[in-house]
Amino acid sequence: MLLGSVEAGGTKFVCAVGDENYKVIDQETFPSKDPKETLQRTVDFFKRFPELDAIGIAAFGPVEVRLNHPDYGVITKKTPKVAWRGINIVDKIKNEINVPIFLTSDVNGSAYGEYVSAKSHDEGVESVVYYTVGTGVGAGIVIDGHFIGALGLQEMGHVKVKRHPADLAFKGICPHHGDCLEGLASGPTFDARLGKNGKEVPITDPIWDIMAYYLAQAAVQTTLTVRPNKIVFGGGVMSPEFLNMIREHFADELNGYVDVPPLDEYITMPEIENNGSATLGDFALAKKVVKVGEGHAFAIDR
């Protein structure tokens, strides 16, 4: 069995082919600039594998993932990637590579990869929530092998959080909500607050603790609503030191109200190194649709 993966990011596309054990056989990475050129390179990559059985796509967005929607596969007009607005990322691939496709969001793909990885060494894992913290903030939820939702993808990066007392003057950068989670704790907020990239800001700067305070609140909300086995924080902003700050604030905010595993097991960074979570997730989702046909972000075996 040959399985395909498209990690369709706003900056780059990572295309891969793997076997039924999710081992990467070949992989190619290229910038996601012009949509026509980028999708053609994607098709050309998979054409090298005529025995391909299915493809999983984890795409930036917002992207329409409902199979019964007339805009299924379309990057919506709300995406900040102007050139990609209205582009159907499924049609081009489907028209030239006629195999079943599973489409979901980039963060859902990563969430599923982390779920599969955790499940491989602990059968007791039933639910994983994955937060990505980078250019934006997003999250994916996997419960018993399924995503959740009905009307669309989750937008957990846009929940409201309690303001840090030392951060009240900052209005936030979200163009829709101002000081939602993404508007207060995404990577670009470093530049908005300090005039420099987060990579230039030492971990001892108080801004890191402020951002950890906001992300810890998101973890508490998730704990109290979903009750997952683990919460994973990934993305370009994360580091072990930053994660420890999140854990400390989480413990303060939760205040022992419900039982959770030890925090070094419950709130973690990705198990899969080199940002490979989405590729593994795509492979696993592609393997499922080999049996059931086309699949979408919420369920594939109804």
Side-chain angles (χ1 to χ4, degrees), residues 269-287:
M269 291 184 68
E271 290 188 358
I272 307 165
E273 298 180 352
N274 300 319
N275 300 314
S277 302
T279 295
L280 172 59
D282 287 346
F283 283 161
L285 294 166
K287 187 174 182 178

Side-chain angles (χ1 to χ4, degrees), residues 14-175:
V14 180
C15 297
V17 167
D19 62 20
E20 61 184 10
N21 297 314
Y22 313 141
K23 181 180 179 181
V24 174
I25 296 170
D26 197 4
Q27 185 170 294
E28 185 174 332
T29 302
F30 41 86
S32 49
K33 294 182 178 180
D34 175 71
K36 183 176 180 180
E37 176 186 350
T38 303
L39 292 174
Q40 187 60 55
R41 290 190 68 173
T42 301
V43 167
D44 291 343
F45 172 80
F46 287 117
K47 280 186 174 179
R48 305 205 305 258
F49 303 92
E51 296 181 358
L52 193 68
D53 290 289
I55 299 173
I57 302 175
F60 74 93
V63 58
E64 179 54 67
V65 297
R66 291 170 288 181
L67 278 171
N68 60 352
H69 196 282
D71 289 334
Y72 168 70
V74 172
I75 303 292
T76 75
K77 293 180 180 180
K78 293 184 179 180
T79 183
K81 303 286 287 184
V82 178
W84 287 82
R85 290 175 180 172
I87 297 295
N88 192 313
I89 64 170
V90 172
D91 278 358
K92 174 66 175 178
I93 299 172
K94 187 71 174 177
N95 288 341
E96 299 198 43
I97 311 293
N98 189 24
V99 297
I101 287 176
F102 188 102
L103 173 67
T104 190
S105 68
D106 47 4
V107 68
N108 264 358
S110 294
Y112 206 82
E114 288 296 313
Y115 169 79
V116 170
S117 179
K119 194 81 171 173
S120 69
H121 57 76
D122 185 355
E123 279 294 325
V125 172
E126 297 176 345
S127 177
V128 170
V129 177
Y130 183 101
Y131 279 91
T132 183
V133 186
T135 304
V137 177
I141 302 173
V142 182
I143 299 176
D144 194 24
H146 298 271
F147 299 116
I148 65 171
L151 298 179
L153 295 164
Q154 295 84 41
E155 292 290 348
M156 294 162 64
H158 293 272
V159 298
K160 285 289 187 176
V161 289
K162 180 172 58 178
R163 297 301 300 267
H164 192 287
D167 197 40
L168 298 179
F170 182 57
K171 295 182 179 180
I173 64 169
C174 175

Side-chain angles (χ1 to χ4, degrees), residues 165-290:
D167 197 40
L168 298 179
F170 182 57
K171 295 182 179 180
I173 64 169
C174 175
H176 302 286
H177 312 114
D179 62 348
C180 63
L181 180 65
E182 180 171 294
L184 295 173
S186 59
T189 62
F190 283 106
D191 188 68
R193 288 185 176 99
L194 305 174
K196 52 186 173 182
N197 189 284
K199 294 179 181 179
E200 303 171 27
V201 181
I203 197 66
T204 53
D205 191 293
I207 293 300
W208 285 102
D209 190 65
I210 289 171
M211 292 175 62
Y213 176 73
Y214 295 134
L215 292 169
Q217 290 182 57
V220 169
Q221 292 175 9
T222 296
T223 297
L224 297 178
T225 54
V226 181
R227 298 306 309 273
N229 294 105
K230 66 185 300 185
I231 299 173
V232 181
F233 281 96
V237 171
M238 295 309 302
S239 70
E241 296 83 3
F242 187 38
L243 188 71
N244 281 333
M245 293 180 182
I246 295 172
R247 288 171 176 154
E248 290 173 4
H249 281 294
F250 174 88
D252 289 342
E253 291 293 312
L254 188 65
N255 197 26
Y257 183 65
V258 296
D259 292 333
V260 295
L263 293 190
D264 61 348
E265 300 173 9
Y266 182 61
I267 298 177
T268 73
M269 291 184 68
E271 290 188 358
I272 307 165
E273 298 180 352
N274 300 319
N275 300 314
S277 302
T279 295
L280 172 59
D282 287 346
F283 283 161
L285 294 166
K287 187 174 182 178
K288 281 194 171 185
V289 297
V290 168

